Amino acid sequence: MAAMPEKDVVLAHDVERGGDEKARRSSLRNSFGGVVSGHDVNAIEGQIFSMNDIDPALDGKMRLVNNAINEIGWTNFHLKMFCLNGFGYMADSLILVIQSIISGHAAAEFKPSFPNGLTFAAYAGMLVGALFWGGGADIIGRRFAFNVSLFVSSVFAIVAGASNSWALLGFFVCMAAFGAGGNLVLDTTVFLEYLPANKQWLVTTLASWWGLAPLIPAAFAWPLFTNSKYSCDPTLPETCTRDNNMGWRYIWFGNGALILLMSIARVTVVRLKETPKFLLGQGKDEEVVANLQSIAKRYNRPCSLTVEKLQACGNITSAHKKGLAESWVHVKGLFATRKLGISTCLIWFSWTLIGLAYPLFYVFLPQYLASRGAQTGEGSQYAVWRNYFISNSVSIFGPILAGWMCTTRLGRRYTMVIGALATMAFFFAYTAVRTASENLGFTCAIYFTVNVYYGTLYAYSPEVLPSAHRATGNGIAIACNRVMGLVSAAVATSANTATSAPIYICAVLYIVMAIVAAIMPFEPYGKSSM
């Protein structure tokens, strides 16, 4: 999308600060091409939505900043950020995958009374982390939360390998998930707030890092779990001791060290400054200009944004309170208009639905197939890990396809519709699986299509949330997802898996997701996020 021609906004002589509000709004509209506030702004000025009726000064400044970001364009800074933010996606996936891979071996050693405890610990940590770091990032800033949350995850992932009891392992897993789950909120937020409008589709492709991550712990687990020197037989817990079952600990040590390296790269490869849109919401115009001008200078790009242009828009009227009061301000800001409130609710509802459907599939389907007598011939460790690698490798390309689809007239909403309906179709087809090749084929298809939907939802959510409250809204959305993860774990503990009901429930949930995506009120295609 071409950037809107830059126009000087000189209101200091036309309207004194604190003067007639109607005159000031009129001057602002004239400065941006005479466009009247409201939904016309979206089509003419290329913004997803307008905040002119809520805070005209912030709306005007946001447009100037978006123009400056578009003027600078894509640089190597953005390429580095794509990788560094992708590390956060990987960390989130790594923690979930590791706990699922090692839980059986760790349980055989510790012999707990509640074998599903690690799943609850991981989802509980990610739930609290999403709310804590998401809400905190709108108060203390993106930069601190972005760097510290990943470091927290790495430390606890490493020490999880030294656990000497099931309860202690659960605590460390919970804390590692607390950091990783919170960091996931910041990955999309930070990356988006530096992107030019014509590259916002790349936020969707970030999810390919999420699909890449499971291959890493699997690369550790395959040789360790197939070697009796490092792994006992989890089906014979009486033979399992620390001495003959160190494999799962080495997985935590190795992957925790990898996450630590990722967190170090974030503060060495790019010395990230606070995002310009967060600074703008805090009224720090000078820092906004200095941040963008430094990027432009480093990569020899134009940037005509000045402090005078921002200050000419006036003072923002958004209230800034402290503590819990400020947190509530950010929640209310997500419902500033009726249309924005509907959008926020639909986003949270979508995350709730996928949070239930996604884990239910992996919890129930193997038991369902076994109960129907499906002979897949995949009992050997070699077949299990081979299929694991193939299906997760295929899933990497789902978000890449979704990113391309988002650049077409399909936009974000109908990319999600297609991804959800395709997943639904493969769910129904999967119930007929009877052979090993069918099992692998349909598993790959579901991994691929669900990531078309999931990857787009990850990107769509921060795109249509207002920047001042983006991390809070995104954090609550992901928290809704984690709550349903806890529900699925509870269902897995007590439900009768001999019935086909969970399979059909999952399919129906994806139909509902498709409908919700189709009625979303905002379409980011060809527009800048606010």
Side-chain angles (χ1 to χ4, degrees):
M1 185 191 75
M4 185 184 71
E6 185 66 75
K7 296 191 178 184
D8 292 340
V9 184
V10 184
L11 301 180
H13 300 294
D14 298 336
V15 182
E16 296 183 4
R17 291 180 185 175
D20 182 72
E21 179 66 18
K22 184 180 291 186
R24 190 162 73 90
R25 289 192 183 200
S26 177
S27 297
L28 271 172
R29 288 194 290 269
N30 292 335
S31 300
F32 289 102
V35 180
V36 179
S37 66
H39 302 305
D40 290 340
V41 176
N42 299 345
I44 297 175
E45 294 182 31
Q47 302 290 151
I48 294 176
F49 56 84
S50 172
M51 297 185 65
N52 195 49
D53 291 334
I54 304 167
D55 191 339
L58 178 60
D59 186 79
K61 291 182 179 185
M62 192 66 69
R63 297 179 191 282
L64 289 173
V65 168
N66 276 332
N67 290 337
I69 293 173
N70 291 336
E71 191 178 15
I72 294 171
W74 177 264
T75 67
N76 282 339
F77 168 79
H78 298 94
L79 179 60
K80 293 175 183 176
M81 290 300 295
F82 179 80
C83 295
L84 295 176
N85 288 60
F87 291 164
Y89 267 77
M90 289 185 68
D92 177 85
S93 183
L94 281 173
I95 300 302
L96 285 176
V97 170
I98 293 170
Q99 69 84 19
S100 66
I101 286 177
I102 66 92
S103 61
H105 291 80
E109 179 180 331
F110 295 126
K111 303 171 182 61
S113 58
F114 186 43
N116 286 335
L118 292 190
T119 302
F120 275 91
Y123 276 105
M126 289 187 168
L127 166 62
V128 178
L131 293 173
F132 178 84
W133 294 108
D138 281 335
I139 299 173
I140 62 176
R142 289 30 166 161
R143 178 176 175 270
F144 179 83
F146 181 71
N147 290 328
V148 174
S149 57
L150 194 61
F151 178 75
V152 168
S153 180
S154 69
V155 171
F156 284 102
I158 292 172
V159 299
S163 304
N164 59 10
S165 71
W166 185 251
L168 194 60
L169 176 60
F171 172 75
F172 289 145
V173 168
C174 182
M175 292 304 297
F178 169 77
N183 188 262
L184 187 64
V185 178
L186 278 302
D187 296 322
T188 51
T189 299
V190 171
F191 189 47
L192 177 65
E193 294 191 358
Y194 277 105
L195 275 179
N198 64 351
K199 292 292 189 294
Q200 285 178 188
W201 60 271
L202 284 168
V203 183
T204 299
T205 64
L206 266 180
S208 60
W209 291 90
W210 207 90
L212 175 65
L215 301 182
I216 299 172
F220 281 83
W222 196 341
L224 290 171
F225 285 171
T226 54
N227 189 328
S228 59
K229 181 179 178 180
Y230 301 105
S231 175
C232 63
D233 186 348
T235 64
L236 301 172
E238 64 275 4
T239 67
C240 290
T241 65
R242 183 183 179 115
D243 292 336
N244 68 0
N245 197 33
M246 288 293 292
W248 68 267
R249 298 177 186 274
Y250 292 146
I251 293 173
W252 276 116
F253 292 147
N255 286 274
L258 177 62
I259 298 173
L260 178 61
L261 291 176
M262 293 176 184
S263 68
I264 293 173
R266 284 191 167 182
V267 296
T268 55
V269 175
V270 173
R271 296 184 180 275
L272 184 69
K273 298 180 181 179
E274 189 52 80
T275 65
K277 292 184 178 180
F278 173 79
L279 293 172
L280 199 64
Q282 298 293 308
K284 299 179 179 179
D285 294 349
E286 294 83 359
E287 294 183 43
V288 172
V289 174
N291 190 345
L292 293 176
Q293 289 286 0
S294 67
I295 296 174
K297 182 178 179 180
R298 188 186 316 154
Y299 296 100
N300 194 28
R301 298 296 177 86
C303 181
S304 57
L305 184 67
T306 64
V307 175
E308 290 74 22
K309 289 179 181 180
L310 290 177
Q311 291 182 344
C313 294
N315 294 321
I316 63 175
T317 59
S318 302
H320 292 289
K321 300 179 181 181
K322 300 298 180 184
L324 293 176
E326 183 171 357
S327 298
W328 181 240
V329 166
H330 290 301
V331 174
K332 289 198 301 182
L334 299 167
F335 300 87
T337 67
R338 181 175 180 272
K339 192 172 183 180
L340 182 59
I342 292 173
S343 175
T344 299
C345 290
L346 290 177
I347 289 171
W348 292 351
F349 185 47
S350 296
W351 278 96
T352 302
L353 292 171
I354 188 70
L356 181 60
Y358 191 81
L360 275 183
F361 164 65
Y362 297 104
V363 167
F364 282 107
L365 196 61
Q367 291 90 335
Y368 170 78
L369 292 176
S371 71
R372 291 298 182 272
Q375 301 298 318
T376 62
E378 295 171 333
S380 71
Q381 285 292 308
Y382 171 80
V384 169
W385 290 110
R386 180 204 63 196
N387 291 357
Y388 185 90
F389 265 86
I390 292 174
S391 57
N392 278 283
S393 297
V394 169
S395 74
I396 297 171
F397 300 97
I400 295 175
L401 174 64
W404 174 79
M405 292 170 68
C406 287
T407 65
T408 69
R409 289 290 179 181
L410 288 171
R412 275 62 159 170
R413 292 181 300 178
Y414 286 102
T415 297
M416 287 191 285
V417 170
I418 292 172
L421 291 179
T423 304
M424 174 272 299
F426 284 118
F427 259 121
F428 282 124
Y430 206 172
T431 60
V433 165
R434 290 294 183 274
T435 68
S437 58
E438 289 174 352
N439 180 49
L440 179 58
F442 282 111
T443 299
C444 289
I446 290 178
Y447 269 65
F448 182 87
T449 55
V450 75
N451 276 289
V452 170
Y453 175 85
Y454 221 158
T456 309
L457 181 63
Y458 264 113
Y460 179 87
S461 301
E463 274 191 291
V464 301
L465 294 171
S467 62
H469 319 296
R470 180 171 288 139
T472 298
N474 205 23
I476 294 174
I478 295 177
C480 292
N481 180 279
R482 306 312 188 193
V483 168
M484 291 298 102
L486 290 171
V487 171
S488 69
V491 171
T493 302
S494 58
N496 177 13
T497 58
T499 174
S500 61
I503 306 298
Y504 292 104
I505 289 173
C506 287
V508 170
L509 288 173
Y510 278 99
I511 295 175
V512 178
M513 288 180 225
I515 295 172
V516 173
I519 64 175
M520 292 280 192
F522 297 116
E523 173 51 61
Y525 172 73
K527 300 170 185 175
S528 295
S529 64
M530 288 294 286

